[in-house]
Amino acid sequence: MLTRWCVSLDSNWRRDRVSESTQRPRLHLISDERLMQVQCKAREQAVSELSGGNQQKVAIARILHQQADILLMDEPTKGIDVGTKSEVYRMLGELAATGKTIIFVSSYLPELLAVCDRIGVMARGDLRDVRNTSDWTEEEVMRVAIG
């Protein structure tokens, strides 16, 4: 029988048995009151054996555990499913609302235009331009990046 587990990422790491279930267990990663559900086969399953989206959630939870004021998120949604992307966007939005600085690096321009407040364009190692997202179009970002 599979079991559901809760993992708290505070300084007093604890594991609480939540309920017994015949469904796939989930690890609930809790950091600073943010909850991310991780699907796993068993509590002891290695992170490397999880799906890409669940590995990404664990990586983000580890970052959040450090309680840094500035977070560098390099391609945080690359290779993950739409549902997990939404969860990552929601969580990053909540972090930004609490005053955290999120540096969001992505090669997918529509994603940047949708989730960022400001976009800085780099080309050949130089920061070419920084503007509010509303002041950018996809074409303008590309023009600055290659110009």
Side-chain angles (χ1 to χ4, degrees), residues 4-23:
R4 236 176 244 260
W5 291 87
C6 178
V7 177
S8 172
L9 292 179
D10 61 17
S11 57
N12 302 315
W13 280 80
R14 71 175 197 271
R15 293 184 182 178
D16 299 322
R17 193 164 147 178
V18 176
S19 65
E20 294 202 4
S21 171
T22 56
Q23 300 173 3

Side-chain angles (χ1 to χ4, degrees), residues 61-109:
R62 286 178 175 162
I63 291 168
L64 296 179
H65 182 62
Q66 303 303 315
Q67 299 181 345
D69 291 327
I70 300 172
L71 303 171
L72 174 59
M73 307 302 288
D74 188 5
E75 301 282 355
T77 61
K78 187 173 185 174
I80 61 176
D81 63 87
V82 175
T84 303
K85 281 184 184 184
S86 295
E87 195 173 348
V88 169
Y89 296 149
R90 177 193 54 77
M91 184 204 47
L92 293 177
E94 289 172 5
L95 287 167
T98 66
K100 303 279 187 190
T101 299
I102 313 289
I103 301 172
F104 192 98
V105 179
S106 178
S107 56
Y108 186 53
L109 189 52

